[in-house]
Amino acid sequence: MLCKELGLSFVELNMNFPEYQIDKMENISLEEESSDKLPFDLQEYASRVFSMFHGENETLSLEVDHTLANVFFDQFGQDILISEVKEETFIVHLPISVSMTLIGWLLQFKDKVMVLSPDSVIDEIKKTAQSVLSLYE
């Protein structure tokens, strides 16, 4: 058991355990030893973690251009909460772990995605964009 070898347990980590990319690991072995089942919803956990990077759990509200609908469905699944559909955009609410990886992912869409809330994410996007812009001034 990997956690056992590291001297960690799922309970000790308070349900916040690290992920490991199996394709990057060497000398993996399966053991017959089992542990007590703990309350854990893998689907819910996976839907919140963005590309294996953790951050603060937030509910992100975004205004997204219709041209990106399939991108969002591919990334977050068909069960995302869409609260409003406008002529050219839709409003989506995503319970997600906010990290710099997510910020970068959102910025790649330029003016096709606007964060509506929370303010902390809006501030982080502004700070990141200003930091990049300052390199070219």
Side-chain angles (χ1 to χ4, degrees), residues 61-62 80-86 89-93 116:
S61 295
L62 307 169
I80 59 177
L81 175 61
I82 297 174
S83 65
E84 185 177 349
V85 177
K86 299 179 181 180
T89 63
F90 60 94
I91 307 294
V92 64
H93 307 279
L116 303 175

Side-chain angles (χ1 to χ4, degrees), residues 67-108:
T67 61
L68 296 175
N70 285 336
V71 173
F72 274 75
F73 289 134
D74 288 347
Q75 182 67 43
F76 302 106
Q78 300 291 322
D79 295 336
I80 59 177
L81 175 61
I82 297 174
S83 65
E84 185 177 349
V85 177
K86 299 179 181 180
E87 190 172 322
E88 295 181 9
T89 63
F90 60 94
I91 307 294
V92 64
H93 307 279
L94 303 169
I96 195 160
S97 180
V98 177
S99 65
M100 281 309 298
T101 302
L102 176 65
I103 300 293
W105 187 81
L106 292 170
L107 285 171
Q108 76 176 322

Side-chain angles (χ1 to χ4, degrees), residues 28-80:
I28 300 171
S29 65
L30 181 62
E31 296 184 5
E32 295 297 321
E33 183 181 338
S34 65
S35 61
D36 295 332
K37 291 188 177 185
L38 298 169
F40 180 69
D41 183 343
L42 180 60
Q43 188 174 12
E44 189 271 334
Y45 175 78
S47 71
R48 288 187 173 272
V49 176
F50 187 83
S51 297
M52 292 184 63
F53 290 91
H54 291 281
E56 288 296 315
N57 287 335
E58 299 275 2
T59 297
L60 223 57
S61 295
L62 307 169
E63 186 165 359
V64 181
D65 190 278
H66 282 269
T67 61
L68 296 175
N70 285 336
V71 173
F72 274 75
F73 289 134
D74 288 347
Q75 182 67 43
F76 302 106
Q78 300 291 322
D79 295 336
I80 59 177

